[in-house]
Amino acid sequence: MNILLIGEYSRLHNSLKEGLEALGHRVVHMGFQDGFKQYPVDIPLEKKWDSGWRKKCKVALFTLCGFDISSYLTYRQFVRIKDQCRDFDVVQLINENSFYCQPNTELKILSYLFAHNKNVFLLSCGDDYVNVNYCFNHPEYKSAAQPYLKGKISDKAFNGVLKFRQTNFKKLHDYVYKHIQGVIATDLDYHLPLQDHPMYLGLHPNPVNVDKIIQQPLDIQNKICIFLGINTLSYYKKGLDAFEAALGIIKQKYPEQVEICITTNLPYAEYISQYDRAHILLDQAYAHDQGYNALEAMAKGKVVFTGAEPEFWQQYALKEAVNCNATANINQLVEALSSLLENPKELVSIGERARKFIEKEHHYKTIAAKYLATWTTHSH
């Protein structure tokens, strides 16, 4: 099969590509490199006029006349490489807004892809119309809408989420759903809002290349290392403020037992090297399931504080913990961390179960095969 993967979030499409290629398929990966994380792609796109004085000029221009120069420059880049984006057996978009353009420009790019490829599929693995509206319509649902609704995040900082509630992005959503073969969710946070949607093709857990990730059995000789990698763009969205507050208490409570490592906005490779020596990784507090950072850390045998709500235990029929459910409740975080620090044997056991869980439920070749089956069943 000849496959085009468009876009990248946290190495999802990279891992899927590796699984598909291992099964003998040709895969081309096009898109942005997920900001400062700099993931590899075959056909790179660059988001221009997106920082410094150019961004200020862009905002002023858009405010005055509605012209978005970043969208225009992305479209120009696409036009130059459009002949490399046609006649694939399958095209998969990572998001309704994979090219980060304003809807009118995004539609021009998508119309070419739909016209020159028979089978286009969509992932729900980030903010999109269905997910965002579900979160706002169900404020009790554990999601990044909760810190926003509590006033922790400004409208400006949350614009990347709020835009999906605008009329023009609703039109983009409708256009995409009219032309795709179906939509696939990558974890429970996207699966739950889509369950009753007629275009929904099911949950395909994030693929993890376990052949590349070496398990590191937790060796607790001296201090237990707790790692928090901060991405400032998602600080409140992921509940990192609660993690930082909890770490402050833990540091005072166990000064001789813990080493706390906090980093900010590191490129992917440097981020990985920094957390390699950690025993515990703090990932996110507003999720039901795990994203990529959590999964890769679990594959290394680390104990990860992330989404592990009852729906997660039920989905995978778990009998014992493979990670730790995190919430934005600071007392809950302190209590859970304290329990592990006082019971290091349980820390080791969870780390061992985490690796086995990833091998069983997220193996990149198994997940790639699941995608192939879905694509084949629902293709023209």
Side-chain angles (χ1 to χ4, degrees):
M1 197 177 278
N2 198 20
I3 302 157
L4 174 64
L5 303 177
I6 296 177
E8 184 59 292
Y9 289 162
S10 296
R11 213 182 181 278
L12 194 166
H13 267 168
N14 268 272
S15 299
L16 180 57
K17 177 184 176 181
E18 289 160 0
L20 293 166
E21 288 178 336
L23 298 178
H25 299 273
R26 176 180 178 264
V27 185
V28 176
H29 186 190
M30 179 185 75
F32 302 94
Q33 295 174 286
D34 204 6
F36 66 83
K37 298 174 187 175
Q38 290 294 294
Y39 298 109
V41 294
D42 300 313
I43 306 174
L45 294 172
E46 183 183 351
K47 199 172 181 187
K48 299 187 176 182
W49 287 63
D50 205 42
S51 61
W53 66 268
R54 284 187 174 86
K55 185 173 183 179
K56 292 180 181 178
C57 292
K58 177 182 79 170
V59 172
L61 187 62
F62 185 76
T63 303
L64 285 170
C65 60
F67 176 73
D68 180 47
I69 194 166
S70 289
S71 295
Y72 170 73
L73 292 172
T74 295
Y75 177 70
R76 287 279 301 272
Q77 290 175 71
F78 178 79
V79 168
R80 287 196 292 270
I81 51 92
K82 66 179 183 179
D83 289 341
Q84 300 176 58
C85 304
R86 58 183 295 159
D87 303 321
F88 284 87
D89 299 313
V90 165
V91 174
Q92 183 162 272
L93 301 167
I94 205 155
N95 188 259
E96 292 173 3
N97 191 208
S98 299
F99 295 92
Y100 301 105
C101 294
Q102 288 296 311
N104 287 343
T105 308
E106 191 93 10
L107 284 168
K108 289 166 69 176
I109 296 173
L110 291 174
S111 65
Y112 180 91
L113 292 169
F114 289 131
H116 294 89
N117 299 280
K118 284 186 179 180
N119 301 297
V120 181
F121 293 83
L122 173 69
L123 288 187
S124 180
C125 62
D127 302 313
D128 57 35
Y129 175 80
V130 172
N131 186 271
V132 169
N133 278 282
Y134 185 90
C135 293
F136 274 88
N137 293 335
H138 300 83
E140 77 287 352
Y141 184 72
K142 191 182 180 190
S143 77
Q146 291 183 329
Y148 170 78
L149 292 170
K150 290 177 182 175
K152 289 186 176 183
I153 310 174
S154 68
D155 287 357
K156 182 179 179 182
F158 212 54
N159 182 59
V161 177
L162 295 175
K163 69 182 183 183
F164 289 104
R165 308 194 81 202
Q166 297 171 2
T167 302
N168 56 351
F169 277 91
K170 171 63 164 63
K171 290 179 180 176
L172 174 63
H173 161 81
D174 291 341
Y175 176 81
V176 170
Y177 271 66
K178 184 178 178 181
H179 290 85
I180 57 173
Q181 300 305 109
V183 58
I184 296 165
T186 59
D187 68 44
L188 289 172
D189 294 281
Y190 309 106
H191 163 76
L192 296 171
L194 277 167
Q195 281 183 101
D196 300 321
H197 199 289
M199 295 296 289
Y200 185 44
L201 302 179
L203 171 65
H204 293 32
N206 286 303
V208 177
N209 189 337
V210 294
D211 294 336
K212 279 190 171 182
I213 300 175
I214 300 169
Q215 183 178 3
Q216 302 167 339
L218 296 181
D219 182 19
I220 303 173
Q221 298 291 336
N222 300 305
K223 291 187 176 183
I224 293 173
C225 180
I226 306 174
F227 178 86
L228 174 62
I230 292 174
N231 176 348
T232 51
L233 293 176
S234 57
Y235 184 76
Y236 291 104
K237 192 176 174 182
K238 290 195 172 186
L240 305 187
D241 56 321
F243 284 142
E244 277 209 288
L247 287 179
I249 296 170
I250 289 293
K251 192 174 182 179
Q252 287 186 326
K253 191 175 178 183
Y254 302 98
E256 302 303 319
Q257 288 175 252
V258 298
E259 175 190 353
I260 293 172
C261 178
I262 299 176
T263 65
T264 304
N265 293 352
L266 292 182
Y268 177 74
E270 192 176 343
Y271 170 87
I272 294 299
S273 68
Q274 286 287 327
Y275 89 49
D276 266 350
R277 62 194 183 88
H279 300 90
I280 299 170
L281 181 133
L282 306 183
D283 178 51
Q284 58 180 324
Y286 292 109
H288 292 77
D289 199 343
Q290 301 91 56
Y292 250 89
N293 283 346
L295 294 173
E296 291 194 336
M298 287 167 65
K300 288 191 173 184
K302 305 204 178 289
V303 175
V304 184
F305 277 66
T306 183
E309 290 292 325
E311 297 92 339
F312 167 71
W313 282 69
Q314 183 179 351
Q315 174 69 26
Y316 294 104
L318 295 174
K319 300 286 193 293
E320 295 180 288
V322 296
N323 49 28
C324 297
N325 188 41
T327 71
N329 183 315
I330 296 167
N331 291 332
Q332 180 264 336
L333 292 173
V334 170
E335 185 178 330
L337 284 166
S338 298
S339 177
L340 289 173
L341 293 170
E342 292 169 12
N343 299 279
K345 285 185 179 179
E346 178 62 8
L347 195 69
V348 174
S349 296
I350 294 174
E352 290 173 352
R353 292 196 294 267
R355 172 68 184 201
K356 290 175 183 175
F357 172 79
I358 299 300
E359 290 175 348
K360 181 185 177 190
E361 304 291 354
H362 291 272
H363 195 290
Y364 71 119
K365 292 180 188 177
T366 306
I367 302 302
K370 187 167 185 174
Y371 272 94
L372 289 166
T374 298
W375 292 337
T376 301
T377 301
H378 296 280
S379 289
H380 287 301

